[in-house]
Amino acid sequence: MKMWSGRFREPLDANFEAWQRSFPFDWRLLPQEIEASKAHARLIAAAGVLTENELAVILRGLDAIIPSAMDRATTQNKLAAPTMAASSPAEDVHHFVELELTQQIGELALKLHTGRSRNEQIATDMRLFVRDAIDATLNKLIAWMEALLNQARKAGDAVMPSYTHLQRAEPVLVAHWLLAYVSMIERDCSRFLDARKRLNLCPLGSGAVAGATLKLDRNIAAKALGFDGPTPNSMDATSDRDFALEFTQAASQLGIHISRFAEELTLYSSAEFGFLELPETFSTGSSAMPQKKNPDLTELARGKSGRLLGSAVTLSMLIKGLPLAYNKDLQEGQEPVFDTVDTLEGILRVLPDFTRALKFRFDRMRSASESGFLNAMAAATYLVHKGVPFRKAHEKIGTAVRYCLDKGCELNALTLDELKQFGEEFAQDFFDAITLEATLDCHDVTGGTARHRVREALKDAEARVRQLAKYSTVDLGQKETAHAGA
Ligand code: ARG
C-alpha cells in the first residue's frame, strides 16, 4: 500500500514506479530514519496524539525494525542491503519503516505519520547522516595528522629541498614540509566543525512546507536527536540542503589536499627523486614488468579525490534552480553525499597507516639539498648583513652562481679570492653563513624553517591536534552517545 494512493484512480506506470523509488539507495538512512521517528513519536505523544502505552509500543516496534531487517539482509553489508531494498515494495526509507512497523505492531503504526511529512523527515535524516559523517571524518583526520606528526618527530633535523615551480628552491626541514600538510588538515577540520555547527538544528515539526498541523513542542524532538534546537523556518528547513553541500565542499577541499599530498609522494617515490621507499604493504606490482613497485595508493587517492569535487558540483547544480520549498529533485542529492562518505571513508582508512609506514631516504634528500645553489638566498643575505643593498647582493650572488655553473661547482667550493671578484665584502665567515644548517637557520621567523622554529611549530601543532582529539572524543562523542541512547 502506497503512502498516498487515496487520490489516484490509476496505478502507476511500472517503469516510472521503479525509476522514481529511492529505497534502492536511501536504505542507508534507516538508522537515522528510526531515530528521527522515535523523536517524532515522543513529540506527538507530548501533544496528546499517542497515549503513554501507545508511545511505548511504537518505540519498541521501531527498535525492532533494524534487527528484523538485518535478519533478512544486514544493513551493514552493502552487498546484501541493496538486494533487500530492491525486493521490498517500499518507495523509500520512510515508507519502508511504516511497512515494517505495521508488521511489528499492526494498525497503531499508522498513527506515527500524524503531524509529519516525508519532506521534513528526509531533511532530518540527511542532517543526522551528515553529522555522523562529519564526526567520523574528524576522527580519521586526527589520526592522519597524528601520523604526519609522528613522521615529523622521526625526521628530526633531516633536510630536503623545497621547490617553487618544481625547481629546487631552498632547503627545508622534512618536518617543516610535513607540517604544511598538518596546517591544511587543520583547516579542513575547522571547516567540518563549522559546517556541523550550522547543520545542528532539527527540521522535525516543519511539516510538508508550512509547519506541522499539530501544536508540537519541537524542542522535544530536537533534544532527543542531539540538535541544538529546532530550525527557525519551515520552508527553508524542508528544502535546505546547504548542510549537505557544505559537507561535500569541505570534503572537496580536503580532497584537494589529499590529492596534493598523493601527487608529491608519487613524485618523490620515483627513481628521479628517490626520496621515499614505498611501503610494500601499500604498493602493487606490475603483471608485465617484474621489477615494478607502483604507487597505486597515492594514485588512487589522487584519482578518488576527483569524485569528492564532483559530488559538490552535482549538489550545487541540483539545488541552484529549485523554487521553494521541497522538490523531488532533492532526492537526487542523497547519492552524492553517500558517495562522498564512502570515498572519504575509503581513503582515510588507508592514509594514516600508509603515512606512518613511509620510509624517507634522508640521505638522498640531504644530497639533493646540497647541490643546485639552494643556499643562494642565504648567501645574498650574508652580503646584506655586510651592508650591501639586497638588489646588489642578489646581482653579485647571481654572477657568482653563473661563474660556478661554468666551473661546475657549488658556491662553497669557491676560494675567497674567487669570491672577491664579485664583491670585496666577502670574507672568511661567508663559508659558515652558507652551510646547510646556516641556510636553514637564517629563516628565523614564526612559520620559517629555522631548526628551533620548526621544533616549536611541531610542539604547537601537537598541542592543537591533542586539543582537537579531546574535543572530538569528549564533545562529539558525548553527543553521539546521548543521541544513540535517546
Ligand atoms: N524520497 C523522498 C526524497 O528523498 C522523500 C521525500 C518525498 N516527499 C514527497 N513530497 N514526495 O526526497
Side-chain angles (χ1 to χ4, degrees), residues 328-364:
K328 184 91 166 196
D329 314 43
L330 290 173
Q331 183 168 288
E332 283 295 300
Q334 295 177 27
E335 285 167 293
V337 171
F338 297 153
D339 193 63
T340 291
V341 168
D342 293 341
T343 304
L344 273 185
E345 217 261 325
I347 298 178
L348 294 176
R349 198 177 326 139
V350 291
L351 211 44
D353 286 341
F354 169 77
T355 302
R356 230 173 254 278
L358 289 174
K359 288 218 166 34
F360 294 110
R361 294 283 312 272
F362 294 132
D363 53 332
R364 302 259 324 195

Side-chain angles (χ1 to χ4, degrees), residues 122-340:
I122 188 62
T124 306
D125 295 354
M126 286 295 284
R127 280 185 193 237
L128 291 172
F129 186 86
V130 170
R131 192 176 68 183
D132 286 348
I134 288 177
D135 294 348
T137 306
L138 283 169
N139 281 322
K140 294 201 173 94
L141 289 181
I142 289 166
W144 188 23
M145 286 193 285
E146 281 167 350
L148 287 162
L149 291 172
N150 179 54
Q151 285 288 5
R153 270 190 301 273
K154 281 204 312 209
D157 282 350
V159 200
M160 67 187 287
S162 65
Y163 299 82
T164 63
H165 315 268
L166 201 54
Q167 306 286 328
R168 282 184 199 166
E170 293 189 274
V172 289
L173 287 187
V174 175
H176 194 57
W177 166 68
L178 290 163
L179 285 173
Y181 284 98
V182 175
S183 284
M184 291 180 230
I185 304 165
E186 281 188 78
R187 288 197 297 277
D188 292 318
C189 289
S190 124
R191 264 184 288 272
F192 282 117
L193 281 167
D194 196 42
R196 191 188 197 283
K197 265 185 235 138
R198 259 188 303 281
L199 82 65
N200 207 32
L201 294 175
C202 185
L204 288 187
S206 297
V209 54
T213 50
L214 290 173
K215 201 163 181 314
L216 302 175
D217 176 0
R218 296 182 56 206
N219 290 301
I220 295 173
K223 192 151 174 266
L225 295 172
F227 285 114
D228 297 329
T231 49
N233 181 290
S234 63
M235 295 180 79
D236 178 50
T238 48
S239 63
D240 166 38
R241 294 296 183 273
D242 288 3
F243 63 90
L245 181 56
E246 280 190 60
F247 169 66
T248 54
Q249 284 169 337
S252 301
Q253 213 146 350
L254 167 60
I256 291 170
H257 298 151
I258 291 172
S259 190
R260 295 185 76 179
F261 181 70
E263 167 63 10
E264 285 211 285
L265 293 186
T266 307
L267 272 179
Y268 290 169
S269 72
S270 68
E272 282 66 20
F273 280 86
F275 288 177
L276 171 74
E277 205 68 73
L278 282 175
E280 287 195 10
T281 43
F282 289 104
S283 308
T284 54
S286 155
S287 62
M289 297 167 280
Q291 84 284 9
K292 294 281 294 237
K293 183 169 68 168
N294 290 329
D296 291 37
L297 188 146
T298 50
E299 291 172 300
L300 264 183
R302 191 175 58 193
K304 282 182 187 283
S305 67
R307 299 172 75 118
L308 299 175
L309 279 96
S311 292
V313 173
T314 302
L315 268 179
S316 311
M317 298 309 287
L318 184 72
I319 299 165
K320 79 177 188 55
L322 295 186
L324 292 185
Y326 177 83
N327 298 272
K328 184 91 166 196
D329 314 43
L330 290 173
Q331 183 168 288
E332 283 295 300
Q334 295 177 27
E335 285 167 293
V337 171
F338 297 153
D339 193 63
T340 291

Side-chain angles (χ1 to χ4, degrees), residues 73-116:
T74 157
T75 48
Q76 307 309 333
N77 180 339
K78 291 182 184 154
L79 285 177
T83 319
M84 164 196 79
S87 63
S88 161
E91 180 175 319
D92 55 24
V93 67
H94 322 293
H95 189 204
F96 178 76
V97 167
E98 188 171 289
L99 293 175
E100 292 289 305
L101 190 62
T102 310
Q103 289 263 321
Q104 301 280 346
I105 64 170
E107 286 267 301
L108 174 60
L110 304 180
K111 274 198 174 183
L112 182 60
H113 207 59
T114 317
R116 76 170 177 179

